[in-house]
Amino acid sequence: MNRLKIFFVNLCRALLAITFVFSGFVKAIDPLGTQYKIGDYLEALGLAGQVPEWIQLMTSVVLSAVEFLLGMLILLAIQRRLVSKLTTLFMIFMTGITLWLTIGNPIQDCGCFGDALRLTNAQTFGKNVVLLFAALVLMRFPLYQVRFISKTNQWIASYFTLIFILVASLLSLYHLPIFDFRPYYIGQNIRKGMEMPPGAQQTVYKTTFICTKDGVQKEFDENNYPYDDSTWVFVDTKQEILKQGYEPPIHDFSITNEKTGEDLTQAILNKKGYTFLLVSPHLEMADDGNFGNIERIYEYARENGYDFYGLTASTEMGIRQWRELTGARYPFYTTDGTTLKTMIRSNPGLLLLYQGTIINKWSRNDLPTAEQLSAPLPLLAMGHEPENNTWTKIVLIILCYILPLIFLIVADRLWAWTKWVKKKEEWVKTKEQWIMGKEQSNKLYQLLKHKRQMRKKIVAGNWKMNETLQEGIALAKEINSALMADKPNCDVIICTPFIHLASVAQVLDKELVGLGAENCADKEKGAYTGEVSAAMVKSTGAQYVILGHSERRQYYGETAEILKDKVQLALANDLKVIFCCGETLEEREANKQNEVVKAELEGSVFHLNAEDWKNIIIAYEPIWAIGTGKTATADQAEEMLAYIRSVVAEKYGKEAAEDTSILYGGSCKPSNAKELFSKPNIDGGLIGGASLKAADFKGIIDAWKK
Ligand code: PEP
């Protein structure tokens, strides 16, 4: 079941990642196209002209980069919790927008995938609902996403991705989009792009005429239009598509001489030889910095007998201003502004046509120079349609981005693996030496001095009297799955109420998570109604038991004597004991903490022999910090744990003390765990409240990761 859940979460993750990466990339490499789309949205919202173009352009670059980055972070499972929340927010926003598009139809194409893939508004909405569901799944189970790269190196992948997409975006802005998804790509014959295939269905429209008479508005169609009744005054028309027919890729291309009204489209497209088209949707906003180059190209065209036209949607005045500003002598004709923006993502941009086929395109920053135009076009490479270099570009992207990323992941995995192997080897070596009785040797002592080589790092949860059986099983499953997806760097134990033990034991992977009880009886067996013996605890599959918790001492009167018996019985039944000790606030204020803790140890566990001592884990829990939100500072905790270790050393010797895991407990959270665990004597934590939420518990476990 859990494996199925992990599979499903990762399936949702793949779906989101692929969609975000693709849609972010195709928009990022066409920043002007995305800016135009943002302009459409602003217009639909009645905000046309209110947001400066440079803000729209910046929004376009940032939005696309964020989308691509989010996709890559999901793909690589980086910052899983934060990223799944951000993705959900993003999808809620996008689904809202596409719902508005589906209902109101203010924009025909949402622009989700730039020009690479066009969906109807209803299709986009459907897609977003699916993605929103996937995002919610990730947000619910963020830790089920299997990591590809360790936490330490995640930042490299994140920054590298951000730099890559921003560079791709800016290069596309300066030159032209790396990939051209529009119908005016190099190699396209515009005439052919406008053709309807034989037998293709034409789109059927319904036109409605709005007229008014005596303040009353009425709609008419072609059949009942009041041609004979002149008292109706025409106001407006609206057109709706009744049946969508075939729409050729180029359906809006025309060139008109505004002065004579002459349609020059066919004449220009059918022209034998070369034609330069200087394209500028709006001359008023065109970059005039390269007009010298444009003039040289115009001169070159005239000298060699090639046509050179300016195409614009600007008014006569705009054209006049441009001529005054640049000295332009070439003729200007009119083409629809949107068409011009589609033809080339540069204002101005230059197209070279040969018999109606686009054979070259230049942004205003890459116009051919005089040196490049040293001979007639047939003798120059630019006078011929270039080979399709899509694959070269794909290979370049693989070399510049995908391969380094793969190298990083492989190096990271190798690094993590060697670290793990090294640790394991050290551990085995040390253990062997110890078993061989070399513990007296200086070398071993040096090794024992390093706690992280010898004693176990542990994070243990104490659920206390919380969670019903069903809730407890669900929580245990969640913790288990999170740890399966992302292996811990420490021992993990969960200690549950008695009734949960047997069921929880069934859902835990023993190799990953240990199981413990929160208490056991001080009697072996017999007529002790309501009690649960150590043997019973053991029979559930549990391996640990917490004894001496301050709540048991305080509310159930457990004395040092009673605890001594419990410890004895637990060990006799092969359970490891997490033995708690700690002072009250008054005792600390009276500076009696050392005395109190030492007495608790002496009273209940210091009678054990060295062999039994190996099965004791100590948890120092200052009572004033338990469940209060007050945490002992890392230094306070370290001081106490160092003291406890010194007391253990006095009793069992230095080596045994170095071998003993001593935990800190008391309002430990993901936010303070790292600092606490960084102290040399703190070997982990006993966690109360924060162990009831899988994400928080996992956050504390992760504090052991570098
Ligand atoms: C505890 O009771 O063991 C404990 C440490 O609780 P909390 O983490 O909630 O303070």
Side-chain angles (χ1 to χ4, degrees), residues 63-100:
L63 251 185
S64 318
V66 164
E67 201 175 342
F68 182 80
L69 182 65
L70 265 185
M72 286 307 295
L73 294 182
I74 300 172
L75 189 70
L76 299 175
I78 292 176
Q79 291 285 334
R80 293 168 296 183
R81 263 173 279 170
L82 176 70
V83 167
S84 55
K85 279 184 197 139
L86 289 177
T87 309
T88 308
L89 278 181
F90 193 88
M91 282 322 304
I92 290 174
F93 180 68
M94 287 303 172
T95 312
I97 290 192
T98 44
L99 178 64
W100 168 55

mmCIF file of all heavy atoms in Angstrom, residues 63-100:
data_model
loop_
_atom_site.group_PDB
_atom_site.id
_atom_site.type_symbol
_atom_site.label_atom_id
_atom_site.label_comp_id
_atom_site.label_asym_id
_atom_site.label_seq_id
_atom_site.Cartn_x
_atom_site.Cartn_y
_atom_site.Cartn_z
ATOM 1 N N LEU A 63 8.444 35.432 -14.469
ATOM 2 C CA LEU A 63 7.402 34.388 -14.368
ATOM 3 C C LEU A 63 7.850 33.086 -15.019
ATOM 4 O O LEU A 63 7.717 31.999 -14.442
ATOM 5 C CB LEU A 63 6.153 34.870 -15.075
ATOM 6 C CG LEU A 63 4.966 35.228 -14.193
ATOM 7 C CD1 LEU A 63 3.768 35.576 -15.040
ATOM 8 C CD2 LEU A 63 4.627 34.092 -13.242
ATOM 9 N N SER A 64 8.410 33.205 -16.233
ATOM 10 C CA SER A 64 8.826 31.992 -16.950
ATOM 11 C C SER A 64 9.961 31.304 -16.199
ATOM 12 O O SER A 64 9.985 30.071 -16.081
ATOM 13 C CB SER A 64 9.312 32.332 -18.360
ATOM 14 O OG SER A 64 8.481 33.281 -18.942
ATOM 15 N N ALA A 65 10.905 32.117 -15.673
ATOM 16 C CA ALA A 65 12.038 31.519 -14.949
ATOM 17 C C ALA A 65 11.529 30.814 -13.690
ATOM 18 O O ALA A 65 11.970 29.704 -13.375
ATOM 19 C CB ALA A 65 13.055 32.594 -14.584
ATOM 20 N N VAL A 66 10.584 31.441 -12.992
ATOM 21 C CA VAL A 66 10.054 30.829 -11.763
ATOM 22 C C VAL A 66 9.369 29.506 -12.095
ATOM 23 O O VAL A 66 9.540 28.494 -11.411
ATOM 24 C CB VAL A 66 9.066 31.799 -11.065
ATOM 25 C CG1 VAL A 66 8.217 31.093 -10.039
ATOM 26 C CG2 VAL A 66 9.834 32.950 -10.421
ATOM 27 N N GLU A 67 8.614 29.497 -13.180
ATOM 28 C CA GLU A 67 7.901 28.285 -13.560
ATOM 29 C C GLU A 67 8.891 27.155 -13.886
ATOM 30 O O GLU A 67 8.728 26.022 -13.422
ATOM 31 C CB GLU A 67 7.020 28.595 -14.768
ATOM 32 C CG GLU A 67 5.882 27.611 -14.930
ATOM 33 C CD GLU A 67 4.949 28.016 -16.056
ATOM 34 O OE1 GLU A 67 4.970 29.185 -16.489
ATOM 35 O OE2 GLU A 67 4.207 27.128 -16.504
ATOM 36 N N PHE A 68 9.926 27.497 -14.647
ATOM 37 C CA PHE A 68 10.924 26.491 -15.012
ATOM 38 C C PHE A 68 11.654 25.993 -13.759
ATOM 39 O O PHE A 68 11.836 24.796 -13.557
ATOM 40 C CB PHE A 68 11.919 27.108 -16.003
ATOM 41 C CG PHE A 68 12.965 26.149 -16.487
ATOM 42 C CD1 PHE A 68 12.669 25.237 -17.486
ATOM 43 C CD2 PHE A 68 14.243 26.136 -15.933
ATOM 44 C CE1 PHE A 68 13.638 24.335 -17.934
ATOM 45 C CE2 PHE A 68 15.203 25.235 -16.372
ATOM 46 C CZ PHE A 68 14.895 24.340 -17.374
ATOM 47 N N LEU A 69 12.021 26.955 -12.908
ATOM 48 C CA LEU A 69 12.757 26.597 -11.687
ATOM 49 C C LEU A 69 11.898 25.684 -10.798
ATOM 50 O O LEU A 69 12.379 24.661 -10.307
ATOM 51 C CB LEU A 69 13.147 27.878 -10.932
ATOM 52 C CG LEU A 69 13.951 27.673 -9.661
ATOM 53 C CD1 LEU A 69 15.302 27.072 -9.971
ATOM 54 C CD2 LEU A 69 14.170 29.004 -8.931
ATOM 55 N N LEU A 70 10.625 26.060 -10.647
ATOM 56 C CA LEU A 70 9.733 25.225 -9.827
ATOM 57 C C LEU A 70 9.698 23.795 -10.384
ATOM 58 O O LEU A 70 9.792 22.828 -9.637
ATOM 59 C CB LEU A 70 8.312 25.794 -9.862
ATOM 60 C CG LEU A 70 7.886 26.724 -8.731
ATOM 61 C CD1 LEU A 70 6.426 27.097 -8.864
ATOM 62 C CD2 LEU A 70 8.121 26.073 -7.368
ATOM 63 N N GLY A 71 9.580 23.706 -11.716
ATOM 64 C CA GLY A 71 9.538 22.397 -12.362
ATOM 65 C C GLY A 71 10.783 21.587 -12.034
ATOM 66 O O GLY A 71 10.715 20.408 -11.679
ATOM 67 N N MET A 72 11.956 22.225 -12.114
ATOM 68 C CA MET A 72 13.205 21.511 -11.844
ATOM 69 C C MET A 72 13.327 21.151 -10.364
ATOM 70 O O MET A 72 13.846 20.087 -10.016
ATOM 71 C CB MET A 72 14.413 22.350 -12.291
ATOM 72 C CG MET A 72 14.603 22.409 -13.786
ATOM 73 S SD MET A 72 14.659 20.814 -14.615
ATOM 74 C CE MET A 72 16.147 20.096 -13.942
ATOM 75 N N LEU A 73 12.853 22.047 -9.495
ATOM 76 C CA LEU A 73 12.921 21.748 -8.053
ATOM 77 C C LEU A 73 12.019 20.552 -7.727
ATOM 78 O O LEU A 73 12.373 19.692 -6.921
ATOM 79 C CB LEU A 73 12.490 22.962 -7.221
ATOM 80 C CG LEU A 73 13.397 24.203 -7.302
ATOM 81 C CD1 LEU A 73 12.889 25.305 -6.394
ATOM 82 C CD2 LEU A 73 14.834 23.877 -6.946
ATOM 83 N N ILE A 74 10.861 20.500 -8.406
ATOM 84 C CA ILE A 74 9.973 19.337 -8.182
ATOM 85 C C ILE A 74 10.667 18.080 -8.709
ATOM 86 O O ILE A 74 10.713 17.047 -8.051
ATOM 87 C CB ILE A 74 8.616 19.524 -8.893
ATOM 88 C CG1 ILE A 74 7.904 20.774 -8.373
ATOM 89 C CG2 ILE A 74 7.735 18.302 -8.720
ATOM 90 C CD1 ILE A 74 6.652 21.149 -9.156
ATOM 91 N N LEU A 75 11.228 18.213 -9.910
ATOM 92 C CA LEU A 75 11.877 17.051 -10.539
ATOM 93 C C LEU A 75 12.978 16.497 -9.643
ATOM 94 O O LEU A 75 13.118 15.288 -9.474
ATOM 95 C CB LEU A 75 12.450 17.470 -11.893
ATOM 96 C CG LEU A 75 12.968 16.351 -12.767
ATOM 97 C CD1 LEU A 75 11.807 15.520 -13.272
ATOM 98 C CD2 LEU A 75 13.740 16.901 -13.955
ATOM 99 N N LEU A 76 13.774 17.391 -9.051
ATOM 100 C CA LEU A 76 14.912 16.937 -8.252
ATOM 101 C C LEU A 76 14.555 16.796 -6.764
ATOM 102 O O LEU A 76 15.415 16.493 -5.952
ATOM 103 C CB LEU A 76 16.084 17.920 -8.406
ATOM 104 C CG LEU A 76 16.613 18.086 -9.825
ATOM 105 C CD1 LEU A 76 17.668 19.163 -9.883
ATOM 106 C CD2 LEU A 76 17.189 16.779 -10.361
ATOM 107 N N ALA A 77 13.284 17.029 -6.435
ATOM 108 C CA ALA A 77 12.811 16.941 -5.041
ATOM 109 C C ALA A 77 13.665 17.798 -4.102
ATOM 110 O O ALA A 77 14.154 17.343 -3.082
ATOM 111 C CB ALA A 77 12.767 15.487 -4.575
ATOM 112 N N ILE A 78 13.805 19.062 -4.483
ATOM 113 C CA ILE A 78 14.576 20.003 -3.662
ATOM 114 C C ILE A 78 13.583 20.812 -2.828
ATOM 115 O O ILE A 78 12.545 21.233 -3.344
ATOM 116 C CB ILE A 78 15.410 20.933 -4.579
ATOM 117 C CG1 ILE A 78 16.504 20.108 -5.260
ATOM 118 C CG2 ILE A 78 16.005 22.103 -3.808
ATOM 119 C CD1 ILE A 78 17.351 20.849 -6.254
ATOM 120 N N GLN A 79 13.869 21.032 -1.556
ATOM 121 C CA GLN A 79 12.994 21.807 -0.658
ATOM 122 C C GLN A 79 11.549 21.322 -0.801
ATOM 123 O O GLN A 79 10.640 22.104 -1.103
ATOM 124 C CB GLN A 79 13.073 23.296 -1.011
ATOM 125 C CG GLN A 79 14.390 23.945 -0.686
ATOM 126 C CD GLN A 79 14.561 24.194 0.804
ATOM 127 O OE1 GLN A 79 13.594 24.335 1.538
ATOM 128 N NE2 GLN A 79 15.786 24.205 1.273
ATOM 129 N N ARG A 80 11.357 20.016 -0.561
ATOM 130 C CA ARG A 80 10.090 19.405 -0.933
ATOM 131 C C ARG A 80 8.861 20.062 -0.319
ATOM 132 O O ARG A 80 7.852 20.270 -0.986
ATOM 133 C CB ARG A 80 10.118 17.917 -0.574
ATOM 134 C CG ARG A 80 11.111 17.169 -1.425
ATOM 135 C CD ARG A 80 11.374 15.805 -0.915
ATOM 136 N NE ARG A 80 12.004 15.837 0.396
ATOM 137 C CZ ARG A 80 12.389 14.750 1.039
ATOM 138 N NH1 ARG A 80 12.170 13.578 0.515
ATOM 139 N NH2 ARG A 80 12.979 14.836 2.210
ATOM 140 N N ARG A 81 8.956 20.406 0.971
ATOM 141 C CA ARG A 81 7.766 20.972 1.619
ATOM 142 C C ARG A 81 7.434 22.352 1.069
ATOM 143 O O ARG A 81 6.315 22.630 0.681
ATOM 144 C CB ARG A 81 7.980 21.023 3.125
ATOM 145 C CG ARG A 81 7.345 19.803 3.774
ATOM 146 C CD ARG A 81 7.687 19.733 5.223
ATOM 147 N NE ARG A 81 9.029 19.159 5.366
ATOM 148 C CZ ARG A 81 9.700 19.138 6.492
ATOM 149 N NH1 ARG A 81 9.189 19.670 7.558
ATOM 150 N NH2 ARG A 81 10.898 18.577 6.564
ATOM 151 N N LEU A 82 8.450 23.199 1.005
ATOM 152 C CA LEU A 82 8.229 24.576 0.540
ATOM 153 C C LEU A 82 7.775 24.571 -0.923
ATOM 154 O O LEU A 82 6.795 25.225 -1.296
ATOM 155 C CB LEU A 82 9.532 25.374 0.699
ATOM 156 C CG LEU A 82 9.488 26.787 0.161
ATOM 157 C CD1 LEU A 82 8.575 27.634 1.047
ATOM 158 C CD2 LEU A 82 10.874 27.413 0.130
ATOM 159 N N VAL A 83 8.478 23.771 -1.730
ATOM 160 C CA VAL A 83 8.178 23.776 -3.164
ATOM 161 C C VAL A 83 6.769 23.240 -3.430
ATOM 162 O O VAL A 83 6.039 23.772 -4.270
ATOM 163 C CB VAL A 83 9.250 22.969 -3.935
ATOM 164 C CG1 VAL A 83 8.820 22.677 -5.357
ATOM 165 C CG2 VAL A 83 10.560 23.742 -3.942
ATOM 166 N N SER A 84 6.329 22.212 -2.678
ATOM 167 C CA SER A 84 4.986 21.693 -2.954
ATOM 168 C C SER A 84 3.926 22.716 -2.540
ATOM 169 O O SER A 84 2.897 22.831 -3.196
ATOM 170 C CB SER A 84 4.766 20.332 -2.293
ATOM 171 O OG SER A 84 5.029 20.433 -0.929
ATOM 172 N N LYS A 85 4.224 23.509 -1.497
ATOM 173 C CA LYS A 85 3.256 24.557 -1.118
ATOM 174 C C LYS A 85 3.206 25.642 -2.195
ATOM 175 O O LYS A 85 2.137 26.072 -2.605
ATOM 176 C CB LYS A 85 3.671 25.184 0.223
ATOM 177 C CG LYS A 85 3.243 24.330 1.400
ATOM 178 C CD LYS A 85 3.568 25.022 2.708
ATOM 179 C CE LYS A 85 3.520 23.986 3.829
ATOM 180 N NZ LYS A 85 4.556 24.103 4.802
ATOM 181 N N LEU A 86 4.386 26.061 -2.661
ATOM 182 C CA LEU A 86 4.427 27.101 -3.694
ATOM 183 C C LEU A 86 3.731 26.626 -4.970
ATOM 184 O O LEU A 86 2.994 27.375 -5.612
ATOM 185 C CB LEU A 86 5.882 27.466 -4.025
ATOM 186 C CG LEU A 86 6.636 28.241 -2.939
ATOM 187 C CD1 LEU A 86 8.073 28.490 -3.350
ATOM 188 C CD2 LEU A 86 5.948 29.579 -2.679
ATOM 189 N N THR A 87 3.963 25.347 -5.320
ATOM 190 C CA THR A 87 3.347 24.798 -6.531
ATOM 191 C C THR A 87 1.825 24.829 -6.399
ATOM 192 O O THR A 87 1.107 25.166 -7.346
ATOM 193 C CB THR A 87 3.823 23.346 -6.760
ATOM 194 O OG1 THR A 87 5.242 23.340 -6.683
ATOM 195 C CG2 THR A 87 3.391 22.809 -8.087
ATOM 196 N N THR A 88 1.339 24.475 -5.214
ATOM 197 C CA THR A 88 -0.117 24.475 -5.017
ATOM 198 C C THR A 88 -0.663 25.893 -5.159
ATOM 199 O O THR A 88 -1.673 26.107 -5.844
ATOM 200 C CB THR A 88 -0.468 23.900 -3.625
ATOM 201 O OG1 THR A 88 0.191 22.649 -3.496
ATOM 202 C CG2 THR A 88 -1.952 23.717 -3.449
ATOM 203 N N LEU A 89 0.022 26.858 -4.551
ATOM 204 C CA LEU A 89 -0.429 28.251 -4.670
ATOM 205 C C LEU A 89 -0.463 28.675 -6.141
ATOM 206 O O LEU A 89 -1.425 29.275 -6.614
ATOM 207 C CB LEU A 89 0.539 29.173 -3.923
ATOM 208 C CG LEU A 89 0.331 29.290 -2.421
ATOM 209 C CD1 LEU A 89 1.344 30.258 -1.830
ATOM 210 C CD2 LEU A 89 -1.078 29.807 -2.130
ATOM 211 N N PHE A 90 0.613 28.339 -6.840
ATOM 212 C CA PHE A 90 0.729 28.675 -8.265
ATOM 213 C C PHE A 90 -0.443 28.064 -9.045
ATOM 214 O O PHE A 90 -1.083 28.716 -9.856
ATOM 215 C CB PHE A 90 2.065 28.114 -8.772
ATOM 216 C CG PHE A 90 2.499 28.612 -10.113
ATOM 217 C CD1 PHE A 90 3.248 29.776 -10.215
ATOM 218 C CD2 PHE A 90 2.189 27.929 -11.272
ATOM 219 C CE1 PHE A 90 3.668 30.241 -11.451
ATOM 220 C CE2 PHE A 90 2.597 28.378 -12.504
ATOM 221 C CZ PHE A 90 3.350 29.543 -12.596
ATOM 222 N N MET A 91 -0.742 26.790 -8.744
ATOM 223 C CA MET A 91 -1.799 26.105 -9.489
ATOM 224 C C MET A 91 -3.184 26.636 -9.127
ATOM 225 O O MET A 91 -4.070 26.691 -9.979
ATOM 226 C CB MET A 91 -1.734 24.583 -9.250
ATOM 227 C CG MET A 91 -0.655 23.862 -10.023
ATOM 228 S SD MET A 91 -0.371 24.434 -11.703
ATOM 229 C CE MET A 91 -1.971 24.283 -12.464
ATOM 230 N N ILE A 92 -3.372 27.041 -7.858
ATOM 231 C CA ILE A 92 -4.673 27.621 -7.480
ATOM 232 C C ILE A 92 -4.883 28.896 -8.300
ATOM 233 O O ILE A 92 -5.943 29.123 -8.879
ATOM 234 C CB ILE A 92 -4.710 27.936 -5.958
ATOM 235 C CG1 ILE A 92 -4.740 26.632 -5.162
ATOM 236 C CG2 ILE A 92 -5.913 28.807 -5.599
ATOM 237 C CD1 ILE A 92 -4.642 26.802 -3.663
ATOM 238 N N PHE A 93 -3.838 29.703 -8.393
ATOM 239 C CA PHE A 93 -3.913 30.959 -9.136
ATOM 240 C C PHE A 93 -4.206 30.687 -10.622
ATOM 241 O O PHE A 93 -5.115 31.262 -11.215
ATOM 242 C CB PHE A 93 -2.573 31.697 -8.947
ATOM 243 C CG PHE A 93 -2.494 32.999 -9.657
ATOM 244 C CD1 PHE A 93 -3.287 34.067 -9.257
ATOM 245 C CD2 PHE A 93 -1.628 33.188 -10.727
ATOM 246 C CE1 PHE A 93 -3.219 35.281 -9.919
ATOM 247 C CE2 PHE A 93 -1.554 34.399 -11.388
ATOM 248 C CZ PHE A 93 -2.361 35.449 -10.979
ATOM 249 N N MET A 94 -3.454 29.740 -11.194
ATOM 250 C CA MET A 94 -3.604 29.455 -12.621
ATOM 251 C C MET A 94 -4.973 28.849 -12.931
ATOM 252 O O MET A 94 -5.585 29.144 -13.960
ATOM 253 C CB MET A 94 -2.508 28.483 -13.095
ATOM 254 C CG MET A 94 -1.162 29.129 -13.182
ATOM 255 S SD MET A 94 -1.270 30.553 -14.281
ATOM 256 C CE MET A 94 0.289 31.296 -14.071
ATOM 257 N N THR A 95 -5.450 27.978 -12.029
ATOM 258 C CA THR A 95 -6.752 27.347 -12.272
ATOM 259 C C THR A 95 -7.837 28.420 -12.226
ATOM 260 O O THR A 95 -8.778 28.405 -13.034
ATOM 261 C CB THR A 95 -7.017 26.238 -11.223
ATOM 262 O OG1 THR A 95 -5.861 25.422 -11.149
ATOM 263 C CG2 THR A 95 -8.203 25.382 -11.597
ATOM 264 N N GLY A 96 -7.692 29.365 -11.304
ATOM 265 C CA GLY A 96 -8.654 30.467 -11.213
ATOM 266 C C GLY A 96 -8.681 31.250 -12.518
ATOM 267 O O GLY A 96 -9.753 31.539 -13.068
ATOM 268 N N ILE A 97 -7.507 31.557 -13.028
ATOM 269 C CA ILE A 97 -7.435 32.341 -14.276
ATOM 270 C C ILE A 97 -8.084 31.578 -15.436
ATOM 271 O O ILE A 97 -8.874 32.118 -16.202
ATOM 272 C CB ILE A 97 -5.967 32.673 -14.613
ATOM 273 C CG1 ILE A 97 -5.469 33.693 -13.597
ATOM 274 C CG2 ILE A 97 -5.828 33.209 -16.030
ATOM 275 C CD1 ILE A 97 -4.165 34.331 -13.942
ATOM 276 N N THR A 98 -7.769 30.291 -15.516
ATOM 277 C CA THR A 98 -8.297 29.550 -16.671
ATOM 278 C C THR A 98 -9.802 29.290 -16.523
ATOM 279 O O THR A 98 -10.495 29.140 -17.528
ATOM 280 C CB THR A 98 -7.528 28.234 -16.908
ATOM 281 O OG1 THR A 98 -7.338 27.584 -15.663
ATOM 282 C CG2 THR A 98 -6.184 28.487 -17.527
ATOM 283 N N LEU A 99 -10.292 29.292 -15.290
ATOM 284 C CA LEU A 99 -11.746 29.185 -15.105
ATOM 285 C C LEU A 99 -12.401 30.447 -15.673
ATOM 286 O O LEU A 99 -13.395 30.389 -16.396
ATOM 287 C CB LEU A 99 -12.065 29.030 -13.612
ATOM 288 C CG LEU A 99 -13.553 28.960 -13.269
ATOM 289 C CD1 LEU A 99 -14.182 27.716 -13.889
ATOM 290 C CD2 LEU A 99 -13.777 28.949 -11.768
ATOM 291 N N TRP A 100 -11.781 31.581 -15.372
ATOM 292 C CA TRP A 100 -12.272 32.863 -15.902
ATOM 293 C C TRP A 100 -12.234 32.856 -17.435
ATOM 294 O O TRP A 100 -13.189 33.271 -18.103
ATOM 295 C CB TRP A 100 -11.393 33.988 -15.319
ATOM 296 C CG TRP A 100 -11.539 35.329 -15.951
ATOM 297 C CD1 TRP A 100 -12.683 36.045 -16.106
ATOM 298 C CD2 TRP A 100 -10.487 36.136 -16.517
ATOM 299 N NE1 TRP A 100 -12.415 37.243 -16.712
ATOM 300 C CE2 TRP A 100 -11.080 37.334 -16.973
ATOM 301 C CE3 TRP A 100 -9.106 35.977 -16.657
ATOM 302 C CZ2 TRP A 100 -10.335 38.347 -17.572
ATOM 303 C CZ3 TRP A 100 -8.372 36.996 -17.250
ATOM 304 C CH2 TRP A 100 -8.980 38.157 -17.705
#
